[in-house]
């Protein structure tokens, strides 16, 4: 089958293709996450004021049907390597940022779309750097772009990363039944203990309707300011662009938020998105004043149980990075990481430092781990 590619560079053009792109993104397994949905791509551009513009490469078949697309943004990017508390600059200049892990397409057409998009990028000499911040490994798109197109893949994460998830389950009871008895009992009993300690009318509320998003964002804004996340990554949950996006996503059944509320005060949250048969736990947090109660992990457990019962046969993803609660609740662990795909030019020469520095860092990390393991008591 023959295909043709075109590139979307403006918001107006993106909005014009919104429904066609959404139909692809919402197919089971087509998108790696909500960030690849056209509504989110638009939000990324509208909410930023740094010159970011769309660079969405769309592949159509001979009949004009959208077979898939690459959700890319054209950005001004500074690539750095964090090493022993120091930030080493590798590159500064124009780049493409991939939203999600790769192209959006069904499994039957994914390879063809990856090849088409890779050729489109390779034939544009102005494109030197493509950033895939959260990549499944091995990554099909990076491999396709690196094959014979003058690009090479640079592994940017220093240590191995893991993507934790729960495989599709018929129900939460089936998920729990697969655990050993002690682990299952402990998880269930924690819920009762946590709520008894909280007292009052503490309960987990679920927000999934467009008309509830204003209240949800208000509670999130109030709570987020009291979490440890706030200092590292300030977020205005009530920003008009964000509220409007959440309303659109909730209307489509693609946003489900959970907040533990006691006497009107939000204490913990589990925020996530549902698309292509997967619910992604995108963020979670809790009020530092009640951290010792463990309400954060309890809220995650409650949310997961509710989602498994509400959407049997769908997958739950905990995203990238390691954490004790992910290990405890997951049924699958897969390698993931952070990648750059770079064209060999003088401007990208700094990326050549990554491989030897990564090798040195990993060797020192292994030595340190071995020494700690041998240390008595």
């Amino acid at each position: 089958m023959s295909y043709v590619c075109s590139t979307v560079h403006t918001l107006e053009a993106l909005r014009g293709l919104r429904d066609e792109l959404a139909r692809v993104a919402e197919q089971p397994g087509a998108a790696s996450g909500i960030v690849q949905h056209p509504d989110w791509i638009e939000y990324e551009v509208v909410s930023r004021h740094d010159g970011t513009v769309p660079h969405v490469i769309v592949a159509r078949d001979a009949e004009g049907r959208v077979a898939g697309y690459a959700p890319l943004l054209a950005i001004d990017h500074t690539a750095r390597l964090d090493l022993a508390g120091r930030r080493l600059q590798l590159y500064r200049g124009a780049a493409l940022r991939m939203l999600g892990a790769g192209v959006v397409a069904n499994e039957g057409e994914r390879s063809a779309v990856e090849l088409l998009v890779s050729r489109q990028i390779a034939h544009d000499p102005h494109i030197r750097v493509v950033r895939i911040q959260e990549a499944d490994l091995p990554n099909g798109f990076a491999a396709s772009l690196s094959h014979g197109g003058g690009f090479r893949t640079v592994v940017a994460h220093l240590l191995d990363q893991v993507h934790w998830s729960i495989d599709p389950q018929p129900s939460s009871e089936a998920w729990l039944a697969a655990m050993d008895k002690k682990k299952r009992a402990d998880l269930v009993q924690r819920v009762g203990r946590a709520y008894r300690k909280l007292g009052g009318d503490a309960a987990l509320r679920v927000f999934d309707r467009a008309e509830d998003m204003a209240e949800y964002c208000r509670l999130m804004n109030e709570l987020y300011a009291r979490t440890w996340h706030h200092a590292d990554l300030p977020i205005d949950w009530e920003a008009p662009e964000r509220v409007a996006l959440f309303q659109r996503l909730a209307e489509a059944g693609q946003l489900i938020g959970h907040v533990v509320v006691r006497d009107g005060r939000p204490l913990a949250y589990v925020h996530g998105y549902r698309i292509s048969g997967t619910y992604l736990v995108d963020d979670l947090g809790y009020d530092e004043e009640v951290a010792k109660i463990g309400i954060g992990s309890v809220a995650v457990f409650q949310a997961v149980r509710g989602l498994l019962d509400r959407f049997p046969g769908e997958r739950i993803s905990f995203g990238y990075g390691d954490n004790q609660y992910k290990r405890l609740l997951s049924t699958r662990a897969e390698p993931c990481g952070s990648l750059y795909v770079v064209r060999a030019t003088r401007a990208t020469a700094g990326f050549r430092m990554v491989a030897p520095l990564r090798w040195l860092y990993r060797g020192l990390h292994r030595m340190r781990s071995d020494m700690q393991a041998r240390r008595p008591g």
Side-chain angles (χ1 to χ4, degrees), residues 82-349:
D82 293 330
L83 192 66
R86 297 186 179 183
R87 306 188 77 186
L88 178 65
Q89 183 169 309
L90 306 172
Y91 169 83
R92 180 174 177 80
L96 294 182
R97 173 189 164 207
M98 173 69 77
L99 296 176
V103 302
V104 181
N106 63 47
E107 285 305 314
E109 296 182 292
R110 184 176 302 278
S111 295
V113 173
E114 286 175 343
L115 180 60
L116 288 162
V117 171
S118 298
R119 287 176 176 173
Q120 185 90 344
I121 291 174
H123 291 159
D124 186 343
H126 297 100
I127 299 174
R128 298 179 297 197
V129 175
V130 180
R131 173 74 161 131
I132 312 176
Q133 188 168 347
E134 296 182 343
D136 294 327
L137 299 179
N139 187 271
F141 173 70
S144 180
L145 184 54
S146 298
H147 183 69
F151 283 81
R152 64 187 180 88
T153 299
V154 177
V155 177
H157 54 279
L158 294 175
L159 298 176
D160 293 337
Q161 302 294 317
V162 179
H163 178 190
W164 297 92
S165 62
I166 299 175
D167 288 322
Q169 306 287 327
S171 67
S172 66
E173 288 302 321
W175 169 62
L176 287 170
M179 301 178 185
D180 66 71
K181 185 177 180 180
K182 183 178 183 302
K183 177 180 175 181
R184 181 170 64 247
D186 182 56
L187 285 169
V188 174
Q189 290 167 10
R190 281 185 191 179
V191 178
R193 287 197 300 266
Y195 280 97
R196 283 194 295 272
K197 290 178 181 178
L198 287 177
D201 62 352
L204 182 74
R205 292 183 57 188
V206 178
F207 294 85
D208 58 2
R209 301 185 305 170
E211 57 266 36
D212 295 333
M213 287 300 106
E215 180 187 6
Y216 176 65
C217 290
R218 178 185 63 78
L219 291 171
M220 287 294 292
N221 228 16
E222 179 184 338
L223 173 57
Y224 191 80
R226 300 195 301 269
T227 69
W228 65 268
H229 302 277
H230 181 69
D232 293 334
L233 184 64
I235 293 176
D236 181 2
W237 291 85
E238 292 183 277
E241 300 94 340
R242 184 177 291 268
V243 176
L245 171 68
F246 283 8
Q247 288 171 338
R248 291 200 299 273
L249 296 179
E251 183 69 30
Q254 294 167 342
L255 188 155
I256 303 174
H258 309 78
V259 183
V260 175
V261 181
R262 180 186 62 189
D263 302 327
R265 179 184 173 95
L267 299 175
Y269 70 88
V270 180
H271 176 75
Y273 306 99
R274 176 176 169 260
I275 189 171
S276 299
T278 296
Y279 179 89
L280 169 66
V281 178
D282 184 67
D283 191 18
L284 58 93
Y286 48 84
D287 189 329
E288 290 294 327
E289 291 184 9
V290 295
K292 292 183 179 179
I293 294 177
I295 191 59
S297 58
V298 164
V300 177
F301 176 65
Q302 286 184 285
V304 166
R305 289 198 70 176
L307 290 163
L308 290 175
D309 288 331
R310 185 174 175 181
F311 306 109
E314 294 195 4
R315 176 172 169 263
I316 294 181
S317 167
F318 294 111
Y320 302 88
D322 204 2
N323 192 289
Q324 184 178 0
Y325 82 86
K326 297 180 182 182
R327 291 174 174 266
L328 190 65
L329 302 180
S330 295
T331 62
R332 181 180 297 274
E334 299 171 301
C336 66
S338 177
L339 304 177
Y340 284 98
V341 190
V342 303
R343 193 189 296 270
T345 67
R346 182 177 297 179
T348 61

Side-chain angles (χ1 to χ4, degrees), residues 14 18 20-26 30-31 33 35-39 41 56-59 66-72 98 102-105 113 117 275:
L14 178 64
R18 188 267 173 199
E20 289 183 277
L21 300 182
R23 277 194 289 272
V24 179
E26 291 165 10
V35 295
Q36 298 194 310
H37 193 280
D39 289 343
I41 301 172
V56 179
I57 302 175
V58 181
V66 174
Y69 63 95
L72 295 158
M98 173 69 77
V103 302
V104 181
V113 173
V117 171
I275 189 171

Side-chain angles (χ1 to χ4, degrees), residues 2 5 42 93 123 140 199-200 204 263 276 297 349 352 361 367 374 376:
S2 61
C5 274
E42 178 183 344
H123 291 159
L204 182 74
D263 302 327
S276 299
S297 58
R352 295 193 176 279
Y361 182 87
M367 289 175 58
R374 293 170 185 167

